[in-house]
Amino acid sequence: MAGRIRLYLGDLTEQAVDAIVNAANASLLGGGGVDGAIHRRGGPAILEACQQIRRTHWPEGLPTGEAVITTAGQLAARFVIHTVGPIYREHGGQEAQLLANCYRNALHLANQHALTSLAFPAISTGVYGYPANEAAEVVSRTLQESLLRDTSMTEVRLVFFAQQQLDTFLRHQKFTGQK
Ligand code: APR
């Protein structure tokens, strides 16, 4: 993947990329963690866009693993891709597949909008309780598989809020040496 995936320690909301990916909940109406930070710093335009999506496309809420795109409001990024991660042990053993879907669908949506740079938080590893070591395996395998096919994406950032989370990812990632 020729250096297209980079690990960062910092705040997702400060990433100057085409789109940042929000670890949202099904309501798309905001919450804590990354979701709260994005809405707080991005401003009301993001919530308004999410409310519009709820009215027009997902009246029952965004299903786990699905992704939608909105303006990024006042953030450095141009867009926010909202996805809903699995709550650990709440999806009958489908958690890994659903977490992979979050990353795959976010990349697919970015590709549909001709975006070339993306920044992900560690989806589901906070409030949703997904163990960071298990998530690292799912995320690294999914990104490697998707990026081998999608050559238009030139930069994928994995942004970690704490050094310990970044270190855990490094220890448990399963990237192979393929280019
Ligand atoms: N930048 C980067 N990473 C962050 C930031 C930030 N500003 N804030 C939190 N994180 C990290 C957390 O440390 C965790 O590792 O993002 C990861 C995901 O944590 P959560 O934000 O709690 O997301 P998640 O576990 O997917 O739970 C989603 O939490 O905030 C609510 O509305 C959200 O209900 C939804 C649930």
Side-chain angles (χ1 to χ4, degrees), residues 10-12 23-25 30-35 37 121-128 159 161 165:
D11 188 327
L12 183 76
N25 60 56
V34 138
D35 197 7
I123 298 168
S124 283
T125 64
V127 166
Y128 281 2
V159 182
F161 216 30
Q165 293 169 333

Side-chain angles (χ1 to χ4, degrees), residues 58-71:
W58 294 106
E60 304 300 315
L62 188 65
T64 300
E66 293 295 331
V68 294
I69 190 168
T70 69
T71 173

Side-chain angles (χ1 to χ4, degrees), residues 113-133:
H113 286 77
L115 308 183
T116 59
S117 59
L118 212 49
F120 287 96
I123 298 168
S124 283
T125 64
V127 166
Y128 281 2
Y130 209 113
N133 59 323

Side-chain angles (χ1 to χ4, degrees), residues 45-102:
I46 300 175
L47 180 58
E48 284 155 19
C50 287
Q51 288 168 327
Q52 177 67 6
I53 288 171
R54 280 294 310 275
R55 280 193 295 273
T56 56
H57 290 76
W58 294 106
E60 304 300 315
L62 188 65
T64 300
E66 293 295 331
V68 294
I69 190 168
T70 69
T71 173
Q74 287 128 30
L75 295 175
R78 291 169 52 211
F79 300 98
V80 177
I81 291 177
H82 306 261
T83 189
V84 180
I87 301 172
Y88 196 61
R89 293 230 170 93
E90 298 264 314
H91 301 270
Q94 293 305 307
E95 292 81 4
Q97 185 55 48
L98 289 166
L99 185 61
N101 289 352
C102 288

Side-chain angles (χ1 to χ4, degrees), residues 133-149:
N133 59 323
E134 292 182 32
E137 290 194 30
V138 174
V139 172
S140 53
R141 286 199 169 97
T142 303
L143 289 178
Q144 172 140 8
E145 172 202 314
S146 298
L147 291 179
L148 283 178
R149 279 199 311 272

